[in-house]
């Protein structure tokens, strides 16, 4: 495919707008991306031009982005760049740069975040564990068996 994939690092400029559509959840927000450069004359970093992109997210990414992002937060967005132009009669034409997001995340170089796995409807009823209980820590010997609070199995007796 000949699509232009981009990864931009910037700040959330508008509160995400979430919509339920016929094809599933959708969300959009604007991201501000400002270049920085070293100004030799001043001996300090200076801000360059700021670009604004409209980020579009669909399905679970839209739901999670709307629940996780706030204005001013540093984010990374990866997706397909779409440059759109439009002209209307009697008006000046305009151009917009949109990103159809594949992935969105907080920029951990500029702060911390706490990840919570989104539970899918089919997972809500799952009763079987798929792996060890990492949250119970090394002080709980049953954690090594992935059994959580259950007791550790008795060792076999060899005669």
């Amino acid at each position: 495919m000949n699509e232009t994939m981009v990864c931009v690092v910037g700040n959330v400029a508008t509160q995400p707008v979430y919509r339920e559509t016929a094809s599933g959840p959708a969300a959009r927000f604007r991201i501000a991306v400002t270049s920085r450069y070293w100004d030799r004359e001043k001996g300090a970093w200076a801000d360059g031009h700021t670009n604004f992109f409209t980020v579009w997210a669909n399905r679970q990414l839209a739901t999670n982005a709307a629940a996780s992002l706030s204005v001013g937060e540093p984010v990374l967005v990866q997706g397909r760049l779409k440059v759109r132009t439009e002209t209307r009669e009697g008006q000046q034409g305009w151009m917009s740069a949109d990103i159809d997001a594949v992935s969105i995340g907080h920029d951990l170089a500029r702060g911390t975040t706490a990840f919570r796995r989104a539970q899918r409807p089919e997972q809500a009823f799952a009763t079987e564990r798929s792996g060890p209980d990492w949250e119970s820590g090394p002080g709980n010997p049953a954690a090594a068996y992935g059994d959580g609070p259950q007791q550790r199995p008795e060792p076999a007796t060899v005669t």
Side-chain angles (χ1 to χ4, degrees), residues 2-127:
N2 293 329
E3 296 177 333
T4 305
M5 295 295 289
V6 295
C7 182
V8 297
V9 179
N11 293 314
V12 177
T14 62
Q15 189 63 33
V17 176
Y18 178 82
R19 300 273 190 262
E20 286 286 342
T21 66
S23 60
R28 68 174 162 77
F29 64 93
R30 303 269 289 162
I31 184 172
V33 180
T34 303
S35 63
R36 291 184 53 86
Y37 64 94
W38 180 256
D39 188 338
R40 290 183 189 189
E41 293 176 5
K42 296 179 182 176
W45 287 97
D47 287 340
H49 178 74
T50 300
N51 291 306
F52 289 89
F53 299 94
T54 301
V55 178
W56 296 88
N58 295 303
R59 297 177 292 284
Q60 191 65 42
L61 181 60
T63 303
N64 294 342
S68 302
L69 302 178
S70 297
V71 174
E73 293 180 344
V75 293
L76 292 92
V77 174
Q78 181 182 14
R80 291 175 288 283
L81 179 65
K82 307 282 185 179
V83 178
R84 295 178 168 89
T85 58
E86 186 173 323
T87 55
R88 295 182 182 165
E89 276 188 46
Q91 294 182 351
Q92 185 177 1
W94 59 269
M95 189 178 250
S96 70
D98 298 350
I99 299 172
D100 290 335
V102 173
S103 181
I104 301 170
H106 285 110
D107 184 357
L108 297 182
R110 298 194 278 164
T112 62
T113 190
F115 181 79
R116 289 182 310 275
R117 186 170 301 279
Q119 200 168 35
R120 295 182 181 156
E122 63 272 8
Q123 289 178 335
F125 301 106
T127 57

